[in-house]
Amino acid sequence: MHDDRSLVEARLKRVLDERIRPAVYPESVPLDVAVWHAPGEPVPVAEGLAATPEPIAVGARWGAPWGTSWFRVTGAVPEAWAGKTVEALLDLGFDENMPGFQCEGLVYRSDGTPVKGLNPRNQWVRVGAPVEGGEEVRLHIEAASNPVILDYHPFVPTPLGDKETAGSEPQYTLTRMDLAVFDEEVWQLVLDLEVLGELMAELPVDAQRRWDVLRAVERCLDAVDLQDVNGTAARARAELTDVLAAPAVPSAHRISAVGHAHIDSAWLWPLRETVRKVARTTSNMTALLEDEPEFVFAMSQAQQWAWVKEHRPEVWARVKKAVAEGRFVPAGGMWVESDTNMPGSEAMARQFVHGKRFFLDEFGIENDEAWLPDTFGFAAGLPQIIKAAGSKYLLTQKISWSQTNRFPHHTFRWEGIDGTRIFTHFPPVDTYNCSMKGGELAHAERNFKDKGVARHSLAPTGWGDGGGGTTREMIAKAARLKNLEGSPTVVWEPPHTFFTKAEAEYPEPPVWVGELYLELHRATLTSQARTKQGNRRSEHLLREAELWAATAAVRTGFPYPYEELDRVWKTVLLHQFHDILPGSSIAWVHREARATYARLATELNGIIEAAQRALAGQGQVPLVFNAAPHTRSGVPAGGAGTPATEGHTTREDRTGGGHVLSNGHLRVEIDERGLVVSVYDVDADREALPPGQPAGLLQLHPDFPNMWDAWDVDRFYRNTVTDLTDADAVTAGEDGQSVRITRSFGSSKVTQVLSLAPGERRLLIDTEVDWHETEKFLKLAFPLDVHAERYASETQFGHFHRPTHTNTSWEAAKFEACNHRFLHLEEPGWGAAVVNDSTYGHDVTRTVRADGGTTTTVRVSLLRAPRFPDPETDQGVHRFRHALVPGAGIGDAVREGWRINLPERRLTGAGEVAPLVTADRDAVVITAVKLADDGSGDVVVRFHEAHGGRTRATLTAGFPLAEVTVTDLLERPLPDASAPAVDGERIAVRLRPFELVTLRLRRA
């Protein structure tokens, strides 16, 4: 037989596009349309429904950027349509290729009842099935004219990302407002042909099945009368019955489809718009669940559920009903799908505490999976946090975006820094927006790396990013793919069911140890510096607020601010969403974030000051409150007292120009350019810096990545560097222990103050940058005379090591990485640390000098200036604090990292304040002291081993103890945990490396 595949396939495409799809709606009549444009921000539903609209015609422009327009559509079903299925077709001006990224609508009845959402892939509203004829139709559409930020030519700077700069030009053209007859038989024919056509394209050319399908499709097309598609659709479908009924082979890959709508809690839209996106999507999904008995939909991010509850109670009622039926499934157990690299230890824990508690309180449901399909890499401390929250699984898809190396597994156990292993799945479909296309499912089967030992994967199915969710077309396709020869099998299942089956099938999968590093989006560790500073400082203010409020509550009866702390925590957690904290959202989002962080700082400082005042009492004794987890200048951790003074610092003129600072521990030389040319460790009799290489050096790179401006920094940025060595002025500080340097470069200015305080083993670097560059990358470099093949980087509840070399492509790909408060590197007998108060991105490189020595250079990332999606990213004044700590062991790095983030607070009072809880080993770091969330008055203390070794320690409570219970993160007793030995107020603990423990202390 002659090969006519191309002929039949081309025929299928044209007939589908030009004859069969248009016949789905064979008859239509226009609706009358009127519109009211809400002034300013969105209005309550009742106000929108009550407004008086003005007539508008199809073809008219509408919708200023970020505006809200209330359309009223009215009409009557023609009498001649009696007995038929009728739908309203409501096209606001959609581009079908941009679901979630443009205008959207939520349809209401006149009584305010939500019907369903409108988006580019969901433009219909069912009127009746069947209709009687003559029915009056009256619908209202709350339409959001969200502008297109990421267009076909992506990453173009635009003022549309903030309502303050977006202007008022209408964004959309009203395209279609009709009543139409819906021919379900033709619609089913469309789905039959789409499924078979997509399947056929994925089968081998020489496969019998491909030719069987091809001939069936050809017979089907022969049976369609192109002048009477509606009258011949059933006859055409009959030609496909046999090929659609052929069952899958027993070895077919099995796909668990999970209805899904990944909704970014903010990205190319502000937070307030996400509230409405969630309402539209949940309205659609609850309606779809009523129509499709096998469909299951899962939604993560407790914050989004809370928004529905607060802002759309009528939608919430439908959601609760569907949850009770087990088909609308809470997923993930986190407050938001957060970034996991940058959130601190407690914040990462609280993501699970607040997320899981919401689902428990509202539905009595506990999640056992972390659901993070789009997060930009995963910190090595995360597995034990997942376990400590009572969960045991992780799902993500994002690692498939890595540019350099392909991850070797799709199902595996992920081992964190303490040895905890979490059963993890990367869906091989390689998208969290699966639409049940044959190419997607075939890719999942081909791509699956665990063949031979497993054959089960998950497919998050539905339009996402900007929402929309699963469509009836996807469900219809899945029904055909449930058991179809040549295709993976498809079944709708909740995440828990998938994970249970996958783990049973593959009980001993391979193990991946350490971080799950995304080889992409590395610049998100630096973009939008103010957002990152707001996060870091909010985390530490929350620590202080809980610590001092709990101490004051136990000691003085101070009213513990449960509700205020709960609200603030949830706000901070929201802003850790994986496009807010990473700095990849529009200008509006970050403008609001800056204001929010400032407001939270004011509120938290108020709580701290009130609690400290209650603790200090009346008096004139000078007190220093130490919120760090280590004793500082004689003041105990978590207490207050009068600090001890130690030594003094001298400043001298340097031979050849510049200054010398010395305090008996360190001798620091700063040359006439304001560069640190020597840091001599007096105690160790050793120079920290390599010959001729200054520290505290600012370096400027061009920064224009190939894609994803705010997200990416590409390796070639290093090819060009400008050392900022010219100084405008270098002057000695009046305090006798600092030097001030000012520099100018481009359109920007920088001031650095280098300080060496008495008795300290750290050189403090305060940097203020008035930044007015674009597409530039600013780094702060510390070359060190250290031979180290690896360095330590702080992460949640510990640290982990990365190599300083680039032996393999995996190591070379980590040319920009994340740390929290410190970086540490050492050779036997001597090390050094670089600590910071608000930066995350860094790089570490090593070279061998002509003298045979090794230079290992730590460079912290300060600022970028991408122009998309915020064209004014980080313009203005920024302040950073870093310190170089020569001679530091890992314990010194841990201590100094906490210290620089928790500055002392000074008050006068009656006398010393004893800590509420102490640990007698520096390796045991207490990350939280608080009152139990249930209001019982119990004290909760969370701590971990921070040095990477085993330790024994004694915790001492500063109050009489009645009982000590080991709990999970949600403060619930762990049934299999052995109680620690208690002697009076002393609690003996033994910890493995990096082990995390939460204790609940009941007061006597």
Side-chain angles (χ1 to χ4, degrees), residues 752-988:
Q752 283 184 306
V753 177
L754 309 179
S755 307
L756 183 63
E760 294 189 359
R761 297 186 51 83
R762 65 175 187 170
L763 174 65
L764 200 61
I765 302 105
D766 287 292
T767 304
E768 178 178 292
V769 187
D770 188 4
W771 181 246
H772 296 285
E773 306 306 301
T774 58
E775 296 168 352
K776 295 289 193 295
F777 197 2
L778 185 65
K779 292 257 186 179
L780 179 62
F782 298 91
L784 298 166
D785 190 7
V786 176
H787 179 81
E789 293 185 358
R790 66 177 192 168
Y791 70 96
S793 171
E794 189 188 27
T795 188
Q796 293 97 359
F797 298 111
H799 60 268
F800 72 106
H801 292 93
R802 295 188 185 96
T804 59
H805 58 76
T806 55
N807 280 0
T808 71
S809 59
W810 293 88
E811 289 135 7
K814 296 184 180 183
F815 59 82
E816 184 79 4
C818 183
N819 68 286
H820 288 184
R821 288 168 290 230
F822 72 79
L823 295 166
H824 178 259
L825 60 160
E826 64 181 346
E827 58 189 43
W830 195 88
V834 176
V835 300
N836 73 83
D837 76 337
S838 60
T839 56
Y840 296 93
H842 70 272
D843 68 86
V844 178
T845 55
R846 68 198 297 264
T847 58
V848 176
R849 307 186 300 269
D851 65 3
T854 301
T855 297
T856 305
T857 301
V858 174
R859 298 198 309 159
V860 296
S861 304
L862 299 184
L863 290 165
R864 299 183 67 239
R867 300 186 64 217
F868 181 88
D870 176 3
E872 298 296 321
T873 300
D874 277 334
Q875 300 299 295
V877 177
H878 304 266
R879 295 175 182 87
F880 308 95
R881 172 167 280 192
H882 295 82
L884 174 63
V885 190
I890 193 68
D892 301 306
V894 172
R895 183 182 63 253
E896 293 296 338
W898 277 100
R899 180 182 181 186
I900 202 171
N901 282 272
L902 287 167
E904 300 166 340
R905 293 177 182 262
R906 297 178 180 269
L907 287 179
T908 58
E912 294 184 356
V913 177
L916 196 60
V917 182
T918 60
D920 67 348
R921 294 286 186 271
D922 270 3
V924 176
V925 169
I926 296 174
T927 61
V929 176
K930 60 190 287 294
L931 294 193
D933 291 340
D934 61 7
S936 63
D938 292 352
V939 175
V940 171
V941 56
R942 187 151 33 248
F943 54 94
H944 70 286
E945 196 288 320
H947 294 180
R950 292 180 181 271
T951 191
R952 296 183 183 185
T954 300
L955 269 62
T956 302
F959 52 89
L961 283 175
E963 186 181 15
V964 177
T965 307
V966 182
T967 75
D968 66 5
L969 294 180
L970 278 70
E971 301 168 10
R972 303 173 299 189
L974 286 176
D976 56 348
S978 56
V982 179
D983 180 9
E985 281 69 61
R986 294 162 60 85
I987 308 163

